[in-house]
Amino acid sequence: QVQLVESGGDSVQAGGSLRLSCAVSGLSDGAYCMAWFRQAPGKEREGVAAIDSDGSTNYADSVKGRFTISRDSAENTLYLRMNSLKPEDTGMYYCAADGTPKMVAADFGYWGQGTQVTVSS
């Protein structure tokens, strides 16, 4: 059974930093694309960052230069380092696996339950 478990969400002031983690179990060999999505209240889920099995990355324009996605294949863990956080980064952040770097939510087969990030001004 595949499980994705996010952690690291918190409430921070604008300009602060957070690191999200996603522990993956039930998927072997790391030959799949993983991504972070977020969803703010009343808005659609949007792709934030993706990392493919070869290490190539893709970022939403709104987070380029501030967020960094990485993965530790040995630990089966996905990370999202978020710097210079803004109030508009507030939302539930979801880890997803087995999709494509284009970050289309419908393409991803596995999802975590989410971790809340709140950024206050």
Side-chain angles (χ1 to χ4, degrees):
Q1 183 179 358
V2 177
Q3 279 193 316
L4 282 67
V5 180
E6 302 96 334
S7 61
D10 205 345
S11 295
V12 296
Q13 296 272 344
S17 298
L18 285 174
R19 190 181 78 157
L20 306 183
S21 300
C22 173
V24 182
S25 59
L27 283 172
S28 60
D29 74 27
Y32 46 87
C33 176
M34 294 197 69
W36 289 97
F37 287 77
R38 67 186 179 191
Q39 188 166 19
K43 294 189 176 181
E44 291 190 358
R45 193 170 295 192
E46 62 173 350
V48 174
I51 184 166
D52 213 341
S53 56
D54 63 358
S56 58
T57 57
N58 185 34
Y59 293 93
D61 288 343
S62 59
V63 306
K64 281 181 182 176
R66 299 189 297 121
F67 290 12
T68 303
I69 189 171
S70 61
R71 67 196 294 175
D72 184 332
S73 296
E75 298 280 333
N76 271 350
T77 303
L78 180 72
Y79 299 101
L80 184 68
R81 177 67 181 180
M82 305 186 293
N83 296 327
S84 302
L85 282 161
K86 303 176 181 180
E88 50 264 44
D89 295 319
T90 293
M92 186 69 77
Y93 282 68
Y94 298 91
C95 169
D98 197 23
T100 74
K102 295 178 181 178
M103 295 188 288
V104 175
D107 291 342
F108 283 80
Y110 304 102
W111 292 85
Q113 293 300 304
T115 186
Q116 178 68 35
V117 172
T118 302
V119 185
S120 57
S121 57

